[in-house]
Amino acid sequence: QVHLVESGGGSVQAGGSLRLSCAASGDVDRTHCMGWFRRVSGKEREGIAVIGKDGRATYADSVKGRFTISEDKSKNIVYLQMDTLKPEDTAMYYCAADTNGGNCVAVDLFFGYWGQGTQVTVSS
C-alpha cells in the first residue's frame, strides 16, 4: 500500500504561483510513476502531469510551460510548482501513485493510490 498526503493548496489571484506537495509513505519502492490530477465538480478528472522513475516528466497541454512536476526521492515528496495561474486552474488537485508498471501516462485508471486532495482557487 502507498499512502499519499497533499498540501499547499489555497487561494491566489490570477498570475500568481503555488507549490503543491505530495508526501508518500508505505510501499514507495514499488511505485512506477507519480502523477497530479485535478477535478472540477461535474467534470471528469484531468491528468495534469506525471513523472517516472527515470525522472522524465510529461504535461497536459493546458498546463505545459506553466506547471512543473518534480520529485525529491530522498524525502519521498512529489511537487507541483504552478506558475502564471489562471482562473480555469481552479480545481481540487490530487496526487496519485502507479505501481502497475508500463508507460507512465496521466490516465486516472492506471493509478491505484490517491491522496485526499487539496483545493486550489484562482481569482481574476
Side-chain angles (χ1 to χ4, degrees), residues 3 15 17 33 37 40-41 50 58 60 65 73 79 81 84 88 95 97 100 102 105-106 108 114 119-120:
H3 182 61
S17 299
C33 60
F37 297 76
V40 178
S41 296
V50 294
T58 56
K73 294 183 178 180
Y79 301 98
Q81 178 67 43
T84 318
E88 50 263 44
C95 176
N100 294 323
V105 295
D108 55 359
W114 296 83
Q119 178 68 38
V120 172

Side-chain angles (χ1 to χ4, degrees), residues 92-114:
M92 184 73 74
Y93 284 71
Y94 298 90
C95 176
D98 171 28
T99 61
N100 294 323
N103 293 331
C104 192
V105 295
V107 176
D108 55 359
L109 290 177
F110 294 168
F111 290 78
Y113 302 97
W114 296 83

Side-chain angles (χ1 to χ4, degrees), residues 55-71:
R56 187 173 183 84
T58 56
Y59 301 89
D61 289 340
S62 59
V63 304
K64 190 175 299 182
R66 299 188 299 118
F67 291 11
T68 303
I69 186 173
S70 62
E71 182 176 18

